[in-house]
Amino acid sequence: MNRSNMRISFVYLYIAVVLLVSWAIEGMSYYTGGYQSTVENIIYVMITPAVIALCFQIWAYKKSLWGEVLSIVKNCNAKAILFAIFYPLLFIGALSIISLFCGIGSVSPTSFSSFMQSLYMFPLYFLLDFPVFWGEEYGWRGFLLKHFTSSMGKFKATILVGLVWALYHIPLVFLLAKSTGIGNPMAVSLVQAVTAFFFSFAFSHAYYLSGALLPVVLLHWVWNMLNPAFLGNIYTNKQGIITGDIFFQNGEGIMGLVLSLLMAMAIGWHFIKSDKSSRAYRDA
């Protein structure tokens, strides 16, 4: 086996280990402590990709821990930061407007007032939440996407990472939906997984804009703060500012699936053109 194939083999081993460990944490949490224990242990599920990725980087790829830490901000640029902020803002804003315009949802003044009063705390929340969201993004984009891209290009790499990300979410969403009664657990988990797959194109784009992890972590955090705040929480079945059928209107529900599909098609086409240009350059 040549060195390149060996490196990719380690990546597939990484996928197997991360999924098995994550699923084990979710399963044990649910069957030993029920819904509350599962929610409390989500933090351990989220940091699993990074912890295992760091082990692989040091053991299999002989990377330095300090070098991997620096990848958080290395080559970061304003374009990537702006995309990380405005993509989820526009996405959630579009779904909110559609929901209101179609009469699917209605505004909760109390929830809106509470949200506005908490805005000044968002910088502190980001600093406190950063290690947890970095835990996912270092594993998926900083390790997995990076290795796949070097061997197969942006489009195929994003598809593979998206599939893994979708599989990673399915058991957790299924167990939470089973507890909260938000809908048919299988349907909820499958829709959320497919939406995550499509949404991974935006995450890849945020990473490719600079190669730094900070924009991707910021995108993930903004999404996780604003999507449940406005469109309800699909994990806990709690209403947001726009009250209505959470499973239907949520960014990780039916409406989110449709919009994320359209965005994935647009971003995916950009990746395909970029990959063709890269191949033409290498062949020249």
Side-chain angles (χ1 to χ4, degrees):
M1 182 183 293
N2 61 43
R3 186 173 182 83
S4 178
N5 288 339
M6 184 177 295
R7 292 173 68 88
I8 290 298
S9 295
F10 281 130
V11 173
Y12 287 116
L13 177 60
Y14 166 80
I15 292 172
V17 173
V18 170
L19 290 181
L20 289 174
V21 172
S22 301
W23 293 344
I25 294 172
E26 294 159 11
M28 287 189 293
S29 298
Y30 184 81
Y31 288 106
T32 58
Y35 169 78
Q36 189 61 38
S37 177
T38 305
V39 172
E40 291 172 354
N41 288 324
I42 285 178
I43 184 174
Y44 301 112
V45 177
M46 291 184 71
I47 65 173
T48 293
V51 171
I52 297 176
L54 282 173
C55 292
F56 270 75
Q57 289 283 49
I58 295 170
W59 166 65
Y61 299 102
K62 311 303 179 185
K63 301 283 187 177
S64 72
L65 179 61
W66 179 241
E68 295 309 301
V69 171
L70 288 178
S71 69
I72 296 171
V73 295
K74 188 177 181 181
N75 300 321
C76 189
N77 57 49
K79 188 176 182 179
I81 292 293
L82 290 174
F83 177 83
I85 295 172
F86 284 102
Y87 184 87
L89 278 174
L90 294 174
F91 194 104
I92 294 164
L95 292 184
S96 299
I97 292 171
I98 292 171
S99 181
L100 291 173
F101 182 78
C102 295
I104 300 168
S106 58
V107 176
S108 168
T110 302
S111 297
F112 181 73
S113 176
S114 297
F115 174 79
M116 294 302 295
Q117 291 174 13
S118 67
L119 276 178
Y120 77 97
M121 292 292 292
F122 272 34
L124 176 60
Y125 292 157
F126 178 69
L127 291 175
L128 294 175
D129 293 339
F130 184 89
V132 179
F133 287 92
W134 174 83
E136 264 203 69
E137 292 311 323
Y138 177 78
W140 303 140
R141 260 54 70 167
F143 178 79
L144 201 55
L145 184 68
K146 183 178 179 181
H147 282 289
F148 276 145
T149 302
S150 64
S151 62
M152 58 186 66
K154 294 179 179 179
F155 183 70
K156 291 181 180 178
T158 298
I159 286 177
L160 287 175
V161 174
L163 288 171
V164 175
W165 204 28
L167 290 171
Y168 166 84
H169 280 96
I170 287 175
L172 177 63
V173 177
F174 177 85
L175 293 172
L176 292 177
K178 189 176 179 181
S179 298
T180 61
I182 193 171
N184 181 285
M186 184 58 70
V188 173
S189 59
L190 288 178
V191 167
Q192 195 278 341
V194 175
T195 304
F197 170 78
F198 291 139
F199 213 83
S200 69
F201 282 81
F203 277 74
S204 291
H205 186 61
Y207 178 76
Y208 290 140
L209 283 172
S210 68
L213 275 178
L214 179 59
V216 193
V217 174
L218 181 59
L219 170 58
H220 200 154
W221 180 81
V222 173
W223 176 262
N224 276 40
M225 290 294 289
L226 298 186
N227 180 49
F230 277 84
L231 299 170
N233 196 322
I234 202 167
Y235 298 94
T236 62
N237 197 16
K238 292 182 179 178
Q239 294 287 342
I241 293 170
I242 312 297
T243 60
D245 185 335
I246 295 174
F247 178 49
F248 186 78
Q249 72 177 15
N250 191 266
E252 297 178 38
I254 302 295
M255 288 174 57
L257 187 154
V258 174
L259 184 55
S260 63
L261 167 61
L262 296 176
M263 298 309 300
M265 290 171 65
I267 297 171
W269 179 244
H270 172 73
F271 289 166
I272 291 172
K273 292 194 295 182
S274 176
D275 290 339
K276 286 181 178 179
S277 298
S278 297
R279 284 195 296 269
Y281 177 79
R282 288 196 301 267
D283 294 340

